[in-house]
Amino acid sequence: MKIEELRKLSDEELVKKISECKAELFKLRFSQATGELEKPARIHELRKAVARMKTILRERELEG
């Protein structure tokens, strides 16, 4: 997702998305360990997405 799309989401939606991404990240890491991972770049994308969402949450926390 793009940063503009993420900024439109509420805090609850961001927290939910973070947990979904972390669950997917766990599954990808597991399949990487077993040698079944097809797109290793997806791990990088998910890590960056989680970092973006956490950054947005932290910005909102500092504002209010």
Side-chain angles (χ1 to χ4, degrees):
M1 291 185 91
K2 295 194 176 199
I3 194 79
E4 297 87 21
E5 296 171 0
L6 292 174
R7 288 190 188 280
K8 291 178 185 175
L9 298 176
S10 69
D11 289 348
E12 294 82 21
E13 291 172 326
L14 281 174
V15 170
K16 185 178 176 185
K17 280 223 174 270
I18 289 172
S19 64
E20 290 170 1
C21 286
K22 283 189 173 187
E24 185 179 349
L25 195 55
F26 176 78
K27 291 176 188 174
L28 288 175
R29 285 187 180 137
F30 190 84
S31 44
Q32 183 181 29
T34 58
E36 301 173 1
L37 185 62
E38 293 178 15
K39 292 184 178 180
R42 183 72 178 137
I43 292 176
H44 179 73
E45 293 171 8
L46 282 174
R47 288 182 64 227
K48 293 288 184 178
V50 169
R52 282 187 195 107
M53 289 183 262
K54 284 185 173 183
T55 300
I56 292 170
L57 286 174
R58 181 67 178 149
E59 287 174 351
R60 290 180 183 174
E61 182 181 312
L62 292 175
E63 286 176 2

